[in-house]
């Protein structure tokens, strides 16, 4: 019995340690959401790390049109939240929680 109790004590002391190592950082969580935010990834229109990207280039009425996703690296948390929750012409509306938006913000602002 004592040995069994000891096993459980050791077992439960071991778990938090292991769980901690498997947790991802805020940066990694943000990176994951940026690529796959339950919808089209931000990466497709705003580039690998928010620097902006060309979405499409086409000829309209003989004129070349380049459609771009803007650079969003210096966007504030407030702007980011407002933008993700509002409707746009090209950019989709997302249903992300505040902590998910904060993780994306961390990803865009932290150097790594
Ligand atoms: C289909 C392409 C597309 C996707 C996907 C997309 N965006 Fe955008 N985004 C745009 C375009 C185009 C604009 C500028 C015009 C507008 O508001 O529609 C924009 C504007 C923004 C702005 C405002 C920039 C400013 O200077 O005011 C932010 C912030 C932003 N996007 C963040 C995101 C994030 C974060 C994601 C992923 C969750 C995302 N976008 C996904 C195309 C996209």
């Amino acid at each position: 019995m004592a040995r069994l109790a000891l096993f459980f004590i050791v077992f439960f002391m071991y778990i938090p340690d292991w769980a901690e190592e498997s947790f991802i950082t805020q940066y990694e969580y943000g990176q994951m959401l940026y690529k796959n935010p339950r919808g089209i990834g931000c990466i497709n229109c705003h580039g690998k790390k928010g620097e902006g990207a060309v979405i499409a280039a086409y000829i309209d009425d003989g004129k070349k049109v380049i459609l771009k996703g803007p650079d969003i690296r210096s966007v504030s948390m407030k702007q980011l939240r407002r933008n993700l929750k509002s409707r746009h012409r090209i950019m989709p509306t997302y249903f992300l929680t505040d902590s998910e938006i904060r993780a994306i913000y961390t990803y865009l602002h932290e150097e790594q």
Side-chain angles (χ1 to χ4, degrees):
M1 197 60 195
R3 203 179 281 175
L4 191 65
L6 188 66
F7 168 76
F8 277 111
I9 290 165
V10 171
F11 188 71
F12 285 113
M13 277 167 63
Y14 175 70
I15 292 262
D17 219 50
W18 158 82
E20 215 165 291
E21 266 179 51
S22 72
F23 272 134
I24 57 171
T25 64
Q26 177 83 345
Y27 180 91
E28 288 163 337
Y29 182 44
Q31 182 176 39
M32 202 181 83
L33 286 164
Y34 184 80
K35 289 181 181 167
N36 192 8
R38 291 196 300 277
I40 311 172
C42 324
I43 194 165
N44 294 301
C45 301
H46 295 287
K48 195 159 184 278
K49 213 173 177 251
E51 70 279 10
V54 171
I55 304 170
Y58 54 91
I59 309 283
D60 183 29
D61 244 353
K63 269 190 239 141
K64 192 167 182 192
V65 181
I66 296 175
L67 197 59
K68 273 185 172 177
D71 186 335
I72 53 167
R73 287 173 297 184
S74 54
V75 164
S76 70
M77 179 62 195
K78 205 174 147 194
Q79 278 175 290
L80 190 62
R81 192 186 292 126
R82 192 177 344 105
N83 256 282
L84 290 175
K85 296 191 175 184
S86 56
R87 288 186 159 272
H88 303 268
R89 211 163 45 88
I90 299 164
M91 183 170 146
T93 305
Y94 289 91
F95 300 93
L96 296 165
T97 65
D98 273 0
S99 64
E100 287 171 330
I101 296 172
R102 184 156 290 284
I104 291 176
Y105 180 84
T106 302
Y107 174 66
L108 292 172
H109 287 260
E110 224 172 70
E111 292 288 335
Q112 226 169 76

